[in-house]
Amino acid sequence: MRSPVTLARLSADDPDGPHALLTAHGAETVNGPNVVPTGHNAAVRHSGGIVVE
């Protein structure tokens, strides 16, 4: 499998909410959720292949 390319970036005050919403609709967690110097991040892949960070 090749490395994921981020095609969309989502910013939110609550990092758990968007991650839960995306995975509830079939997205696969690629990386994270992680604690990073700027807060939190995660990358998820939609079933169509788009990666959202």
Coordinates of all heavy atoms in Angstrom, one line a residue:
M1 N 0.8 -1.2 0.0 CA 0.0 0.0 0.0 C 0.9 1.2 0.0 O 1.9 1.3 0.7 CB -0.9 0.0 1.2 CG -1.8 1.2 1.4 SD -2.7 1.2 2.9 CE -4.3 0.7 2.2
R2 N 0.6 2.2 -0.8 CA 1.4 3.4 -0.9 C 1.0 4.3 0.3 O -0.1 4.2 0.9 CB 1.2 4.1 -2.2 CG -0.2 4.5 -2.5 CD -0.3 5.1 -3.8 NE -1.6 5.8 -3.8 CZ -2.0 6.6 -4.7 NH1 -1.3 6.9 -5.8 NH2 -3.2 7.2 -4.6
S3 N 1.8 5.3 0.6 CA 1.6 6.2 1.6 C 0.4 7.1 1.3 O 0.2 7.5 0.2 CB 2.8 7.2 1.8 OG 3.9 6.4 2.2
P4 N -0.4 7.4 2.4 CA -1.6 8.2 2.1 C -1.2 9.6 1.8 O -0.2 10.2 2.2 CB -2.4 8.1 3.4 CG -1.4 7.8 4.4 CD -0.3 7.0 3.7
V5 N -2.0 10.2 0.9 CA -1.9 11.6 0.6 C -3.1 12.4 1.1 O -4.2 12.0 0.9 CB -1.8 11.8 -1.0 CG1 -1.8 13.3 -1.3 CG2 -0.6 11.1 -1.6
T6 N -2.8 13.4 1.9 CA -3.9 14.2 2.5 C -4.5 15.1 1.5 O -3.9 15.9 0.9 CB -3.4 15.0 3.7 OG1 -2.9 14.1 4.7 CG2 -4.6 15.8 4.3
L7 N -5.8 14.8 1.2 CA -6.5 15.6 0.2 C -7.4 16.7 0.8 O -7.9 17.6 0.2 CB -7.3 14.7 -0.7 CG -6.5 13.7 -1.5 CD1 -7.5 12.8 -2.3 CD2 -5.6 14.4 -2.5
A8 N -7.7 16.5 2.1 CA -8.6 17.4 2.8 C -8.1 17.6 4.3 O -7.6 16.6 4.8 CB -10.0 16.9 2.8
R9 N -8.2 18.8 4.8 CA -7.8 19.0 6.2 C -9.0 19.6 6.9 O -9.6 20.5 6.4 CB -6.6 19.9 6.2 CG -6.0 20.0 7.6 CD -4.7 20.6 7.6 NE -3.9 19.7 6.8 CZ -2.6 19.5 7.0 NH1 -2.0 20.2 7.9 NH2 -1.9 18.6 6.3
L10 N -9.3 19.1 8.1 CA -10.4 19.5 8.9 C -9.9 20.1 10.2 O -9.1 19.5 10.8 CB -11.3 18.3 9.1 CG -12.5 18.5 10.1 CD1 -13.5 19.4 9.4 CD2 -13.1 17.1 10.4
S11 N -10.4 21.2 10.6 CA -10.0 21.8 11.8 C -11.3 21.9 12.7 O -12.3 22.3 12.3 CB -9.5 23.2 11.6 OG -9.1 23.9 12.8
A12 N -11.1 21.5 14.0 CA -12.2 21.5 14.9 C -11.7 21.7 16.3 O -10.6 21.4 16.7 CB -13.0 20.2 14.9
D13 N -12.6 22.3 17.2 CA -12.2 22.5 18.6 C -12.2 21.2 19.3 O -11.5 21.1 20.3 CB -13.2 23.5 19.2 CG -13.1 24.9 18.7 OD1 -12.0 25.3 18.3 OD2 -14.1 25.6 18.7
D14 N -13.1 20.3 19.0 CA -13.2 19.0 19.6 C -12.6 17.9 18.7 O -13.3 17.5 17.7 CB -14.6 18.7 19.9 CG -14.9 17.3 20.4 OD1 -13.9 16.6 20.9 OD2 -16.0 16.8 20.3
P15 N -11.4 17.4 19.0 CA -10.8 16.4 18.0 C -11.5 15.1 18.0 O -11.5 14.3 17.0 CB -9.4 16.2 18.6 CG -9.5 16.6 20.0 CD -10.6 17.6 20.1
D16 N -12.3 14.7 19.1 CA -12.9 13.4 19.1 C -14.2 13.4 18.3 O -14.5 12.4 17.7 CB -13.2 13.0 20.5 CG -12.0 12.8 21.4 OD1 -11.0 12.3 20.8 OD2 -12.0 13.1 22.6
G17 N -14.9 14.5 18.2 CA -16.2 14.6 17.5 C -16.1 14.2 16.0 O -16.7 13.3 15.5
P18 N -15.2 15.0 15.3 CA -15.1 14.7 13.8 C -14.5 13.3 13.5 O -15.0 12.6 12.6 CB -14.1 15.7 13.3 CG -14.2 16.8 14.3 CD -14.5 16.2 15.6
H19 N -13.6 12.8 14.4 CA -13.1 11.4 14.2 C -14.2 10.4 14.4 O -14.3 9.5 13.6 CB -11.9 11.2 15.1 CG -11.3 9.9 15.0 ND1 -11.5 8.8 15.8 CD2 -10.4 9.4 14.0 CE1 -10.8 7.7 15.3 NE2 -10.1 8.1 14.3
A20 N -15.0 10.6 15.4 CA -16.1 9.6 15.6 C -17.1 9.7 14.5 O -17.6 8.6 14.1 CB -16.8 10.0 17.0
L21 N -17.4 10.9 14.0 CA -18.4 11.0 12.9 C -17.9 10.3 11.7 O -18.6 9.6 11.0 CB -18.6 12.5 12.6 CG -19.6 12.8 11.5 CD1 -21.0 12.3 11.8 CD2 -19.5 14.3 11.1
L22 N -16.6 10.6 11.3 CA -16.1 10.0 10.1 C -16.0 8.5 10.2 O -16.3 7.8 9.2 CB -14.7 10.6 9.8 CG -14.7 12.0 9.4 CD1 -13.3 12.6 9.5 CD2 -15.3 12.2 8.0
T23 N -15.5 7.9 11.3 CA -15.4 6.5 11.4 C -16.8 5.8 11.5 O -17.0 4.7 11.1 CB -14.5 6.1 12.6 OG1 -15.0 6.7 13.8 CG2 -13.1 6.5 12.4
A24 N -17.8 6.5 12.1 CA -19.1 6.0 12.1 C -19.7 5.8 10.8 O -20.6 5.0 10.5 CB -20.0 6.9 13.0
H25 N -19.2 6.6 9.8 CA -19.7 6.5 8.4 C -18.8 5.7 7.5 O -18.8 5.9 6.3 CB -19.9 7.9 7.9 CG -21.1 8.6 8.5 ND1 -22.4 8.4 8.0 CD2 -21.3 9.4 9.6 CE1 -23.3 9.0 8.8 NE2 -22.6 9.7 9.8
G26 N -17.9 4.9 8.1 CA -17.2 4.0 7.3 C -15.7 4.3 7.1 O -15.0 3.6 6.4
A27 N -15.3 5.5 7.6 CA -13.9 5.8 7.4 C -12.9 4.9 8.2 O -13.3 4.5 9.3 CB -13.6 7.3 7.7
E28 N -11.8 4.7 7.6 CA -10.8 3.8 8.3 C -9.7 4.7 8.9 O -9.2 5.6 8.2 CB -10.1 2.9 7.2 CG -8.9 2.2 7.7 CD -8.2 1.5 6.5 OE1 -8.6 1.7 5.4 OE2 -7.1 0.9 6.8
T29 N -9.3 4.5 10.1 CA -8.3 5.3 10.8 C -6.9 4.9 10.2 O -6.6 3.7 10.2 CB -8.3 5.1 12.3 OG1 -9.5 5.5 12.8 CG2 -7.2 5.9 12.9
V30 N -6.2 5.9 9.6 CA -4.9 5.6 9.0 C -3.8 5.9 10.1 O -2.8 5.2 10.2 CB -4.7 6.5 7.8 CG1 -3.3 6.4 7.2 CG2 -5.7 6.2 6.7
N31 N -4.0 7.0 10.9 CA -3.0 7.4 11.8 C -3.7 8.2 12.9 O -4.5 9.1 12.7 CB -2.0 8.2 11.2 CG -0.8 8.6 12.1 OD1 -0.7 8.1 13.2 ND2 0.0 9.6 11.7
G32 N -3.4 7.8 14.2 CA -4.0 8.6 15.3 C -5.3 8.0 15.9 O -5.6 6.9 15.6
P33 N -5.9 8.9 16.6 CA -5.6 10.2 17.0 C -4.3 10.3 17.9 O -4.0 9.4 18.6 CB -6.8 10.6 17.9 CG -7.9 9.6 17.6 CD -7.2 8.4 17.2
N34 N -3.6 11.4 17.6 CA -2.3 11.7 18.3 C -2.3 13.0 19.0 O -3.0 13.9 18.5 CB -1.2 11.7 17.2 CG -1.1 10.5 16.4 OD1 -1.0 9.4 16.9 ND2 -1.3 10.6 15.1
V35 N -1.6 13.1 20.0 CA -1.3 14.4 20.7 C -0.1 15.0 20.0 O 1.0 14.3 19.9 CB -1.1 14.3 22.2 CG1 -0.7 15.6 22.8 CG2 -2.3 13.7 22.9
V36 N -0.2 16.2 19.5 CA 1.0 16.8 18.8 C 1.2 18.2 19.4 O 0.3 18.7 20.2 CB 0.7 17.0 17.3 CG1 0.6 15.6 16.6 CG2 -0.6 17.7 17.0
P37 N 2.3 18.9 19.1 CA 2.5 20.2 19.7 C 1.4 21.2 19.5 O 1.2 22.1 20.4 CB 3.8 20.7 19.1 CG 4.5 19.4 18.7 CD 3.4 18.5 18.3
T38 N 0.7 21.1 18.5 CA -0.4 22.1 18.2 C -1.7 21.6 18.7 O -2.7 22.3 18.5 CB -0.5 22.4 16.7 OG1 -0.6 21.1 16.0 CG2 0.8 23.1 16.2
G39 N -1.8 20.5 19.3 CA -3.1 20.0 19.9 C -3.2 18.5 19.6 O -2.5 17.7 20.2
H40 N -4.1 18.1 18.7 CA -4.3 16.7 18.3 C -4.4 16.6 16.8 O -4.8 17.6 16.1 CB -5.7 16.2 18.9 CG -5.7 16.2 20.4 ND1 -6.0 17.3 21.1 CD2 -5.5 15.2 21.2 CE1 -5.9 17.0 22.4 NE2 -5.6 15.7 22.5
N41 N -4.2 15.4 16.3 CA -4.4 15.1 14.9 C -4.8 13.7 14.7 O -4.5 12.8 15.5 CB -3.3 15.6 14.0 CG -2.1 14.7 14.0 OD1 -2.0 13.7 14.8 ND2 -1.1 14.9 13.1
A42 N -5.3 13.4 13.5 CA -5.6 12.0 13.1 C -5.8 12.1 11.6 O -6.1 13.1 11.0 CB -6.9 11.5 13.8
A43 N -5.6 11.0 11.0 CA -5.9 10.8 9.5 C -6.8 9.6 9.3 O -6.6 8.6 9.9 CB -4.6 10.6 8.8
V44 N -7.9 9.9 8.6 CA -8.8 8.8 8.3 C -9.0 8.7 6.8 O -8.9 9.8 6.1 CB -10.2 9.0 9.0 CG1 -10.0 8.9 10.5 CG2 -10.8 10.3 8.6
R45 N -9.3 7.5 6.2 CA -9.5 7.4 4.8 C -11.0 7.0 4.6 O -11.5 6.0 5.1 CB -8.6 6.2 4.3 CG -8.8 6.0 2.8 CD -8.0 4.9 2.2 NE -6.5 5.1 2.4 CZ -5.7 4.5 3.2 NH1 -6.2 3.5 4.0 NH2 -4.5 4.8 3.3
H46 N -11.6 7.8 3.8 CA -13.0 7.5 3.4 C -13.0 6.3 2.5 O -12.0 5.9 1.8 CB -13.5 8.7 2.6 CG -14.9 8.6 2.1 ND1 -15.3 8.0 0.9 CD2 -16.1 8.9 2.7 CE1 -16.6 8.0 0.8 NE2 -17.1 8.6 1.9
S47 N -14.1 5.6 2.4 CA -14.2 4.3 1.6 C -13.9 4.6 0.1 O -13.5 3.7 -0.6 CB -15.6 3.7 1.8 OG -16.6 4.6 1.3
G48 N -14.1 5.8 -0.3 CA -13.7 6.2 -1.7 C -12.3 6.5 -1.9 O -11.8 6.8 -3.0
G49 N -11.5 6.5 -0.8 CA -10.0 6.7 -0.9 C -9.5 8.1 -0.5 O -8.3 8.3 -0.3
I50 N -10.4 9.1 -0.3 CA -9.9 10.4 0.2 C -9.5 10.3 1.6 O -10.1 9.7 2.5 CB -11.1 11.4 0.0 CG1 -11.4 11.6 -1.4 CG2 -10.7 12.7 0.7 CD1 -12.6 12.5 -1.7
V51 N -8.3 10.9 1.9 CA -7.8 11.0 3.2 C -8.0 12.3 3.8 O -7.7 13.4 3.2 CB -6.2 10.7 3.2 CG1 -5.7 10.8 4.6 CG2 -6.0 9.3 2.7
V52 N -8.6 12.3 5.0 CA -8.9 13.6 5.7 C -8.0 13.6 7.0 O -8.0 12.6 7.7 CB -10.4 13.7 6.2 CG1 -10.6 14.9 7.0 CG2 -11.3 13.6 4.9
E53 N -7.3 14.7 7.2 CA -6.5 14.8 8.4 C -7.1 15.8 9.3 O -7.6 16.8 9.0 CB -5.1 15.3 8.0 CG -4.1 15.5 9.2 CD -2.8 15.9 8.8 OE1 -2.5 16.1 7.6 OE2 -2.0 16.2 9.7

